[in-house]
């Protein structure tokens, strides 16, 4: 009975690994290049996983309506949402971006109620509210001095981008839930989502005339390529598959809430990787989120 919820928490942990790798790689690459390099790596990995787990390299028997739902999900999540979010990081930083993105589960639950007819029991609504408050409490912590270094034009642009990315991600949740209905294999769904994302992204790059420069990343920067390989494995492959598995066993609102505890899981990772101090506020927010998670497992 806890498969879906544990899968969502596993997705959150995997997303935290991806976030660290993208942060390190993003110091050299822009948002489009980061996605363009990582998604093909994820695609190759998923082909291998799909062959080993399901006995075929590609889900050729998937119906057109399932292809539509999962393609829409992949384009919204891997291309549109990621593009807006990665650009938002550059304008307003990860903390404010994550603060806005933390509302994606609530928006996803509302969309699931409108389009899928999914309702949540009282205890689940309470648990989601507590978890979201804990995340909000952690992410909203002020930086040293409490003063923003973001100028007004970038602040406005960054907030708009973060809101658009959050909306796209929430819509992707609903399409994903539709795509994996009736027990459709999560590995197949993940592969189909990545395929759709790659096609649209590389067409966009080709139209812009940046095909050659983007392809050169694969051979000219081994360290960055290694970071993106880890990000590709932890993100679209592992986290993406776990999230789709979660959608098969629990409601969209619960799954997305648990999968968005990445901000909480990044606290110890940031301490060891980026040498960031852990504040009392972060500890309190984590404890609040854990209480909410416990309620969701009732």
């Amino acid at each position: 009975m806890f498969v879906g919820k544990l899968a969502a928490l596993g997705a959150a942990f995997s997303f935290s690994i991806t976030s660290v790798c993208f942060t390190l790689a993003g110091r050299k690459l822009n948002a489009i290049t980061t996605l363009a390099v990582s998604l093909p790596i994820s695609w190759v990995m998923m082909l291998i996983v799909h062959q080993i787990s399901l006995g075929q390299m590609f889900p050729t028997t998937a119906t057109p309506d399932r292809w539509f739902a999962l393609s829409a999900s992949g384009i919204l999540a891997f291309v549109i949402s990621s593009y807006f979010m990665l650009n938002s990081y550059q304008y307003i930083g990860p903390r404010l971006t994550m603060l806005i993105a933390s509302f994606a589960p609530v928006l996803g639950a509302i969309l699931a109620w409108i389009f899928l007819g999914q309702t949540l029991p009282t205890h689940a609504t309470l648990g989601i509210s507590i978890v979201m408050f804990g995340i909000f409490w952690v992410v909203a912590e002020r930086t040293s001095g409490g003063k923003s270094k973001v100028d007004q034009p970038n602040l406005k642009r960054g907030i708009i981008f973060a809101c658009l990315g959050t909306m796209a991600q929430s819509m992707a949740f609903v399409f994903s839930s539709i795509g994996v209905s009736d027990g459709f294999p999560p590995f197949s769904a993940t592969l189909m989502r990545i395929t759709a994302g790659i096609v649209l992204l590389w067409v966009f790059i080709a139209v812009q005339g940046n095909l050659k420069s983007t392809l050169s990343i694969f051979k000219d920067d081994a360290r960055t390529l290694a970071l993106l390989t880890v990000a590709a494995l932890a993100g679209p492959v592992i986290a993406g598959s776990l999230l789709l598995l979660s959608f098969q066993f629990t409601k969209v609102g619960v799954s997305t809430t648990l999968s968005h505890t990445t901000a909480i899981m990044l606290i110890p990772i940031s301490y060891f990787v980026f040498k960031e101090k852990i504040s009392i506020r972060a500890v309190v927010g984590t404890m609040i989120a854990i209480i909410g998670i416990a309620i969701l497992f009732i």
Side-chain angles (χ1 to χ4, degrees):
M1 62 181 294
F2 296 139
V3 170
K5 297 168 185 177
L6 291 173
L9 287 174
F13 177 75
S14 294
F15 279 135
S16 67
I17 302 298
T18 302
S19 175
V20 171
C21 293
F22 275 155
T23 299
L24 296 174
R27 294 171 179 173
K28 291 187 175 182
L29 305 178
N30 60 35
I32 290 293
T33 304
T34 299
L35 294 171
V37 174
S38 62
L39 280 180
I41 297 173
S42 300
W43 188 74
V44 172
M45 290 178 178
M46 279 309 307
L47 288 176
I48 298 172
V49 170
H50 200 272
Q51 177 66 47
I52 294 174
S53 61
L54 299 174
Q56 58 177 348
M57 190 155 287
F58 203 80
T60 55
T61 58
T63 58
D65 59 331
R66 204 177 292 277
W67 263 108
F68 172 79
L70 292 171
S71 295
S73 172
I75 291 170
L76 284 165
F78 296 136
V79 180
I80 299 176
S81 178
S82 296
Y83 173 77
F84 283 130
M85 287 301 186
L86 289 174
N87 275 287
S88 180
Y89 286 154
Q90 296 178 3
Y91 289 123
I92 59 177
R95 185 176 296 278
L96 186 53
T97 299
M98 289 176 64
L99 179 64
I100 296 171
S102 66
F103 290 97
V106 176
L107 188 56
I110 294 172
L111 292 175
W113 170 62
I114 295 173
F115 295 105
L116 304 180
Q118 291 187 2
T119 57
L120 295 170
T122 303
H123 81 277
T125 304
L126 175 62
I128 289 173
S129 300
I130 294 175
V131 172
M132 298 311 300
F133 179 78
I135 295 173
F136 186 91
W137 182 261
V138 170
V139 178
E141 183 176 8
R142 290 179 179 270
T143 54
S144 299
K147 296 181 180 179
S148 174
K149 298 180 180 180
V150 182
D151 56 45
Q152 194 61 34
N154 281 349
L155 179 63
K156 183 178 180 180
R157 191 179 293 113
I159 290 175
I160 292 173
F161 276 14
C163 289
L164 290 173
T166 300
M167 174 64 76
Q169 187 66 57
S170 301
M171 294 171 64
F173 292 151
V174 176
F175 279 112
S176 294
S177 184
I178 296 172
V180 296
S181 60
D182 302 321
F184 190 71
F187 286 149
S188 296
T190 301
L191 183 55
M192 292 161 67
R193 294 175 77 220
I194 295 174
T195 300
I198 287 176
V199 171
L200 181 66
L201 187 60
W202 279 91
V203 167
F204 177 74
I205 291 172
V207 170
Q208 284 193 319
N210 296 328
L211 198 61
K212 186 176 180 180
S213 61
T214 303
L215 286 170
S216 67
I217 300 297
F218 284 97
K219 63 177 182 179
D220 294 341
D221 194 337
R223 181 178 180 276
T224 302
L225 184 61
L227 286 171
L228 292 179
T229 299
V230 175
L233 175 61
V237 176
I238 297 178
S241 297
L242 286 173
L243 187 57
L244 292 175
L245 176 66
S246 177
F247 286 147
Q248 292 184 330
F249 288 91
T250 190
K251 302 292 181 65
V252 170
V254 175
S255 292
T256 54
T257 298
L258 293 174
S259 68
H260 271 70
T261 55
T262 300
I264 301 298
M265 296 185 180
L266 276 172
I267 294 172
I269 294 176
S270 296
Y271 175 78
F272 289 108
V273 177
F274 300 110
K275 309 304 179 183
E276 294 183 0
K277 294 182 179 179
I278 299 177
S279 65
I280 298 298
R281 183 185 183 115
V283 174
V284 172
T286 300
M287 293 175 64
I288 292 172
I290 290 174
I291 292 172
I293 291 171
I295 293 174
L296 287 175
F297 273 82
I298 295 177

